[in-house]
Amino acid sequence: MMRVLVIGAGGVFGSRLAEGLLRGGFEVVAAGRDRRRAEAVAARLRKAVPGGRVEAAALDTATLTPDDLKVIGAAIVADAAGPFQGAEPKTARAAIASGLHYIDLADGRDFVAAFPALDSAAKGAGVVALTGCSSTPALSNAVLDRLTDGWREVISVEAAISPGARAPRGLSVMQAILSWLGRPVRVFESGVWTVRTGWSGLYWRDFGAAGRRPVSLCETPDLDLFPARFQPRGRAFFLAGLEPWPAHLGAWALARLVRLLRFDPVPLAGLLVRLSRWASVTGSDRGAMRVEVRGVDGEGHAARAVWRLVAEPGEGPVTPGLPALAAIRAIAAGRVSPGARACAGVLTLEDIEAGMAPHGLATTTEVRRDAIFARAIGPAFDALPAAVRALHETPGRSLWRGQAMTEGAAGPLAALAARIVGFPAAQSACPAEVAIDADGDRSVWRRRIGGHAFASVLSRPRDGGRVRERFGPLSMDLRLAPEGDRLVYRVEGWRLGAIPLPRVLAPSTRAHEEVDAEGRFVFDVEISVPLAGRLVRYRGWLLRVDQARLRTNTVPAE
């Protein structure tokens, strides 16, 4: 029976890890700074897992030495104490120096980033040292490894966590959050590194059975590991939320105050823990996690994959300890090579999910085509020429250039309408450029023909080839119909803002896309309205700009 020293076994996550180890046949030494408290923790563990072998030990990580660890007789040290933000890996160093394996539940970005500096020492001692054996980065990366298996390209990556309203929020957890709340956070966005504010942004995400919840930018090791491991062309985010939603809004408002007044919110941790307990009487008690990735799958299709985890009330705090439990099992089985590194790419999703069933944790995975036209048209989309499919199915940001000509409005009334919408005037043999930002739910097209710019937004893909295209305040309900090697557009309705307008006055269009003899994407679009006549006609060809040139030639997405 292998003995594991659990530092922080009396904490929110450490206690769940210790119980999991005992049920898995490991012997546990529950360590704390105070001997009496450690004995009390050991007694609780014996009661929770009858028959489990538990001992207590007094250890102060601030003064810990290798000899302190050796006398305990453990083979593995598991640090679940935290907070890890801004901390030095003293315990890891002591474990390595004493010849013991080491794992922790660190979610501190700086801590995890610096951890590989211990790699040489760990290899020299022949031991494994893993940091971040928690929901982030271990579980999030294991999910992404599974979702992107066989993919050709990753465009964007996003992970989000939303604990239940009554999930225990210890002092160390609150201090960790406050250490970056309202502070500058470095993120990978729009293909470049930039700086955002911690807990900025108010995004609503679908957590499946746990419902839609607000989340904001959270600083975790994944902000570094996602770009390094999956090389997204667009962005890599990690978001977190609080239940109930007014508590989340309160944290968002506090972040704005910290940014504005530049004060340190960490001393407020105790007060905020108490406030969160008062607020917990409302809101859902289900914990949830969500991982989403967009990109190009193994068949060359734009794809979106979403993995969700929902924990029944009271079971959410088990989740962060499951990767640690899986890592300890893997180390005990000799399946992890010596060295010090982040626990990303070390464990499979199956390794971690093996411990979920006894705790009422349910996971689902959803994979779909992630191009508006492919979703709307269905299987017939794949029969279109490759150049047509490529323009409409390239995910993320893409830039297309070529040549075009335009015919302007047919009369004064049509010219007025064209000016309101932003259509170009007549031009011949002029440069054409289309910058497209596509995320599967909407596609922003920014056209520039002969120096004249106009834009539209495609959205609302529905069965039967139906999509909506908005030009300024006006939008048209279109039906897309493959006809041989052509894709033909027809107008089925129109509206001003959200107000439907009479069908009898609706614009008409003669529009199609195809491929010319040189394999180029060709477009021919004419839009007219009753009484006024033609608003615009533009036709020409486009080729995609090389990806290496793309980042310096496109404008930011809306």
Side-chain angles (χ1 to χ4, degrees):
M1 181 182 292
M2 182 171 285
R3 175 178 285 200
V4 180
L5 170 65
V6 181
I7 299 172
V12 173
F13 306 132
S15 60
R16 272 75 173 182
L17 171 60
E19 289 181 21
L21 288 168
L22 291 171
R23 293 191 177 95
F26 291 89
E27 183 179 336
V28 170
V29 180
R33 286 191 299 269
D34 182 82
R35 165 67 70 171
R36 285 184 298 178
R37 292 185 63 183
E39 291 285 3
V41 170
R44 289 199 301 271
L45 290 171
R46 293 187 193 101
K47 185 176 181 180
V49 187
R53 297 185 60 180
V54 190
E55 296 180 11
L59 283 177
D60 187 346
T61 55
T63 59
L64 188 66
T65 68
D67 289 338
D68 294 332
L69 295 177
K70 287 179 181 178
V71 298
I72 290 174
I76 302 176
V77 177
D79 188 353
F84 294 93
Q85 283 77 2
E88 289 289 324
K90 296 179 181 179
T91 304
R93 288 197 189 104
I96 292 170
S98 59
L100 303 180
H101 300 298
Y102 168 91
I103 67 100
D104 65 42
L105 278 69
D107 60 357
R109 184 178 184 179
D110 54 348
F111 186 94
V112 173
F115 197 81
L118 305 177
D119 187 55
S120 295
K123 287 178 177 175
V127 299
V128 176
L130 298 176
T131 186
C133 302
S134 189
S135 303
T136 167
L139 177 54
S140 53
N141 277 267
V143 171
L144 284 169
D145 285 336
R146 166 54 60 83
L147 295 181
T148 61
D149 185 28
W151 280 28
R152 300 180 184 179
E153 184 182 20
V154 172
I155 302 300
S156 65
V157 176
E158 179 186 285
I161 292 179
S162 178
R166 284 168 283 288
R169 295 185 177 96
L171 183 62
S172 64
V173 173
M174 188 63 71
Q175 289 171 335
I177 294 173
L178 293 176
S179 70
W180 48 260
L181 185 142
R183 311 289 180 82
V185 174
R186 187 168 175 262
V187 297
F188 189 76
E189 187 175 17
S190 298
V192 297
W193 286 98
T194 186
V195 175
R196 298 276 296 271
T197 301
W199 213 270
S200 63
L202 279 175
Y203 310 97
W204 287 85
R205 293 293 184 262
D206 179 8
F207 286 90
R212 288 180 61 82
R213 297 182 177 186
V215 288
S216 296
L217 179 65
C218 173
E219 182 163 61
T220 76
D222 281 329
L223 294 183
D224 293 321
L225 291 169
F226 285 168
R229 298 193 69 241
F230 301 99
Q231 299 181 342
R233 179 154 54 85
R235 75 172 196 173
F237 269 25
F238 198 101
L239 308 172
L242 294 174
E243 276 287 299
W245 65 264
H248 184 91
L249 293 183
W252 176 81
L254 178 59
R256 294 177 69 88
L257 284 176
V258 170
R259 181 185 179 187
L260 179 65
L261 303 178
R262 300 182 183 279
F263 67 93
D264 182 6
V266 174
L268 300 175
L271 172 62
L272 293 176
V273 168
R274 293 191 293 273
L275 289 175
S276 69
R277 290 170 183 163
W278 298 336
S280 68
V281 296
T282 62
S284 170
D285 199 26
R286 281 178 159 177
M289 182 172 177
R290 181 181 188 275
V291 179
E292 175 182 287
V293 58
R294 285 185 150 111
V296 181
D297 65 17
E299 297 179 354
H301 299 147
R304 169 183 176 267
V306 181
W307 176 91
R308 297 180 178 90
L309 178 150
V310 176
E312 292 304 312
E315 296 291 349
V318 172
T319 307
L322 292 179
L325 180 59
I328 291 171
R329 286 173 173 160
I331 292 170
R335 293 191 286 112
V336 185
S337 60
R341 54 202 182 275
C343 192
V346 176
L347 302 172
T348 67
L349 184 56
E350 289 79 8
D351 291 334
I352 302 171
E353 286 184 331
M356 292 185 179
H359 301 288
L361 304 180
T363 65
T364 59
T365 300
E366 170 194 333
V367 181
R368 75 173 193 197
R369 293 285 289 270
D370 200 41
I372 289 177
F373 280 32
R375 291 170 59 193
I377 296 171
F381 177 82
D382 293 328
L384 289 167
V388 175
R389 286 186 281 112
L391 184 132
H392 291 296
E393 199 173 23
T394 299
R397 181 171 298 174
S398 60
L399 183 66
W400 306 77
R401 286 184 178 147
Q403 195 172 75
M405 64 158 290
T406 63
E407 298 175 29
L413 185 58
L416 176 62
R419 190 174 302 114
I420 293 173
V421 175
F423 289 144
Q427 301 175 85
S428 61
C430 56
E433 176 179 294
V434 181
I436 302 175
D437 286 286
D439 66 6
D441 294 314
R442 73 172 200 157
S443 184
V444 181
W445 289 45
R446 297 180 179 87
R447 304 168 180 87
R448 183 174 293 274
I449 299 178
H452 187 96
F454 64 109
S456 68
V457 180
L458 288 150
S459 63
R460 294 175 56 85
R462 288 152 288 161
D463 292 343
R466 292 176 173 85
V467 299
R468 180 170 295 169
E469 184 168 22
R470 177 172 58 82
F471 292 88
L474 294 173
S475 59
M476 294 183 289
D477 292 317
L478 304 176
R479 183 162 185 160
L480 312 172
E483 295 182 0
D485 288 338
R486 285 185 168 189
L487 178 61
V488 177
Y489 293 55
R490 294 184 174 88
V491 177
E492 292 192 333
W494 67 315
R495 59 192 67 231
L496 178 64
I499 303 172
L501 298 176
R503 288 284 298 272
V504 68
L505 299 177
S508 62
T509 182
R510 290 192 302 111
H512 69 269
E513 299 167 350
E514 57 186 342
V515 176
D516 65 13
E518 298 179 48
R520 301 177 301 193
F521 173 87
V522 173
F523 59 91
D524 189 339
V525 180
E526 180 175 344
I527 301 174
S528 303
V529 293
L531 303 179
R534 185 186 68 234
L535 298 182
V536 70
R537 182 185 182 188
Y538 51 96
R539 51 199 170 98
W541 57 267
L542 296 168
L543 290 173
R544 187 179 179 187
V545 175
D546 290 343
Q547 192 61 47
R549 299 169 56 194
L550 176 60
R551 294 182 183 177
T552 60
N553 284 288
T554 54
V555 293
E558 287 187 342

